Amino acid sequence: MQDRRKLKRRHIIYYLLVFDHDTHVLLGHLVDVTTEGMLLISPQALETGRIYTLRMQLPYEISGKKEMVFRARSKWCRKDANPDFYDTGFELFGIAGEDAETIEWLIERSGFRD
């Protein structure tokens, strides 16, 4: 699979929970993120091509928020290196202003350094 992302994703040191905002079901945990996309690891395969409204818990209060809600499209899903899990790549959209700053702050403060 060709990697077409424009921004390098940063692995996050926290185990951030990501839920389907509409159903309140835990979808998985954030592995890496940019302001344009993210990788989620989950125990179940997630439907590709679907637009989700996601709710992500933040590791601490950022800009007065303990969580952020945003929309994302699942682009692909495949088995993780650990066969008990699946990796799903998401394209984020509508991320601007304060939410983009929150993601950038999270990457800067909580991302692994290369």
Side-chain angles (χ1 to χ4, degrees):
M1 170 185 268
Q2 183 182 4
D3 187 355
R4 296 181 303 209
R5 71 179 65 108
K6 296 177 224 167
L7 300 173
K8 179 176 174 55
R9 288 203 185 153
R10 298 299 300 267
H11 291 278
I12 301 299
I13 60 175
Y14 294 102
Y15 202 56
L16 302 181
L17 301 175
V18 179
F19 297 85
D20 182 310
H21 182 66
D22 299 326
T23 65
H24 308 287
V25 171
L26 174 65
L27 294 181
H29 299 88
L30 183 70
V31 174
D32 62 38
V33 67
T34 72
T35 55
E36 296 179 353
M38 69 179 195
L39 176 64
L40 205 66
I41 189 168
S42 58
Q44 71 281 349
L46 299 178
E47 180 183 347
T48 57
R50 179 175 166 197
I51 296 173
Y52 290 85
T53 300
L54 301 173
R55 180 174 49 87
M56 181 173 66
Q57 292 182 338
L58 298 173
Y60 33 78
E61 192 170 298
I62 302 173
S63 300
K65 298 189 300 186
K66 290 287 289 170
E67 62 186 23
M68 62 183 285
V69 176
F70 53 94
R71 294 175 46 95
R73 175 182 288 114
S74 54
K75 300 293 279 186
W76 55 265
C77 181
R78 63 177 173 247
K79 279 282 200 182
D80 184 66
N82 178 337
D84 294 332
F85 295 97
Y86 292 86
D87 297 332
T88 304
F90 285 88
E91 175 186 18
L92 308 182
F93 49 119
I95 300 290
E98 190 175 291
D99 285 341
E101 290 174 11
T102 298
I103 291 173
E104 290 168 358
W105 194 92
L106 187 62
I107 291 167
E108 180 64 30
R109 302 291 172 122
S110 307
F112 283 114
R113 300 288 177 238
D114 296 336

